[in-house]
Amino acid sequence: MAKKIPLQPEDFELETNTVWAFPNRGKWATHDAKYRGNWSPYIPRNVILRYSVEGDTVLDQFVGGGTTAVEAKLTNRNFIGIDINPDALKITKSKLDFECEFNTSIDIMQGDARSLSTIADGSIDLICTHPPYADIIHYSENIDGDLSLMPMKEYLFEIGKVAEECYRVLKKDKFCAILMGDTRKKGMVQPLAFETMRIFEMAGFKTKEIIIKEQHNCKATGYWKTNSIKFNFLLLAHEYLFVFRK
Ligand SMILES: C[S@@+](CC[C@H](N)C(=O)[O-])C[C@H]1O[C@@H](n2cnc3c(N)ncnc32)[C@H](O)[C@@H]1O
């Protein structure tokens, strides 16, 4: 008989240092790896439990396939989820379609992370989000404002607007956690993550933590392994989780 999928993770422990690795990405409630580039549910769970309390309001303005939304529901937080792509919102809503012991308020809506016009100043307790990494993965073909269609220079300019909106909607002394990865061009690393960190600092945030998140889905075999040796570059196998405080 197939094992029943649990609603909550079994044997969950909070991360305690600055290197996070989740070789088993996490399979509880409605989570799966189908939404391209979605994050392991262990990441929002750690962020939510460490930087908010029950009844708080959590925002993910790049909600994608809804991983953060599901974790907010399971940890008794109110939640606002936004994405520019209506297809993502449909997936998020379907992921939230399960019963649990909490009765939280959950709003899922279409919008643009650069202009969160429906959210009042200083109204959010925690931002826990995972934007596209410039144009590494395209999340739509031609949606106007989709950051995943923008090359690095344009992307970083637009991320400045995202950072300013994060700062505006967050309550004072509260936290904003962002996962970001780097990219490579003509063999040279493009430090998208550190550039993003500086942009958030310029928007007014203080950097509380820089966490290295190991990537476990990298293709360290075949084509990429051969090329990394032939052209003498290292395969990028980590991302950064920045935790900022307002
Ligand atoms: C990396 S994915 C998020 C994945 C999510 N953490 C999950 O686990 O499913 C990034 C998302 O940002 C969305 N996006 C791109 N540009 C946006 C914008 N300007 N405002 C809001 N969402 C945007 C994309 O449609 C995509 O769903």
Side-chain angles (χ1 to χ4, degrees):
M1 208 170 78
K3 197 178 167 224
K4 195 168 175 279
I5 294 172
L7 195 55
Q8 300 281 0
E10 290 161 344
D11 306 327
F12 175 80
E13 283 184 33
L14 267 188
E15 295 298 308
T16 54
N17 66 33
T18 55
V19 181
W20 294 7
F22 307 111
N24 300 315
R25 66 185 310 284
K27 195 160 174 40
W28 63 88
T30 54
H31 294 304
D32 60 41
K34 285 186 195 149
Y35 194 79
R36 210 165 156 220
N38 66 356
W39 59 2
S40 156
Y42 283 110
I43 302 171
R45 177 160 288 247
N46 268 280
V47 169
I48 288 170
L49 292 178
R50 199 176 265 281
Y51 299 109
S52 67
V53 295
E54 290 189 38
D56 273 0
T57 298
V58 176
L59 167 69
D60 183 349
Q61 65 274 57
F62 296 95
V63 74
T67 315
T68 318
V70 169
E71 285 308 297
K73 179 168 172 170
L74 290 172
T75 54
N76 199 14
R77 271 66 169 171
N78 300 313
F79 184 76
I80 302 174
I82 292 174
D83 203 286
I84 205 154
N85 190 335
D87 292 341
L89 302 175
K90 276 187 216 146
I91 297 168
T92 292
K93 284 180 183 161
S94 75
K95 292 286 171 196
L96 285 165
D97 187 15
F98 64 88
E99 296 290 321
C100 84
E101 61 186 296
F102 305 120
N103 193 13
T104 50
S105 142
I106 298 188
D107 279 336
I108 304 299
M109 54 188 138
Q110 191 173 4
D112 187 333
R114 300 170 301 172
S115 171
L116 302 170
S117 49
T118 52
I119 305 182
D121 297 2
S123 59
I124 299 293
D125 296 292
L126 171 68
I127 296 172
C128 180
T129 198
H130 178 202
Y133 306 160
D135 54 359
I136 298 180
I137 296 177
H138 292 183
Y139 284 94
S140 72
E141 273 177 29
N142 54 10
I143 294 179
D144 194 27
D146 180 347
L147 298 187
S148 75
L149 302 177
M150 300 181 187
M152 186 160 159
K153 203 167 161 201
E154 184 186 356
Y155 173 87
L156 287 172
F157 182 76
E158 299 302 321
I159 271 290
K161 299 177 189 167
V162 173
E164 279 170 17
E165 279 297 77
C166 287
Y167 197 82
R168 179 184 70 76
V169 301
L170 199 62
K171 292 181 185 168
K172 190 170 174 294
D173 294 328
K174 300 284 183 171
F175 295 96
C176 167
I178 304 251
L179 188 72
M180 184 61 57
D182 294 330
T183 164
R184 200 176 272 291
K185 201 172 177 188
K186 295 186 182 152
M188 306 302 278
V189 73
Q190 308 292 304
L192 188 63
F194 284 146
E195 299 267 7
T196 301
M197 183 185 83
R198 287 283 173 240
I199 289 168
F200 272 73
E201 288 174 344
M202 269 160 25
F205 284 105
K206 297 257 182 302
T207 300
K208 163 119 175 87
E209 306 288 356
I210 300 177
I211 296 155
I212 309 281
K213 203 287 216 119
E214 284 181 18
Q215 274 184 320
H216 288 276
N217 54 355
C218 303
K219 294 196 174 57
T221 54
Y223 174 84
W224 284 109
K225 186 175 179 187
T226 310
N227 275 358
S228 80
I229 294 165
K230 187 170 162 196
F231 298 111
N232 196 16
F233 65 87
L234 297 172
L235 297 169
L236 294 171
H238 66 282
E239 296 151 292
Y240 295 93
L241 180 68
F242 298 115
V243 182
F244 303 110
R245 199 186 73 190
K246 176 168 171 180

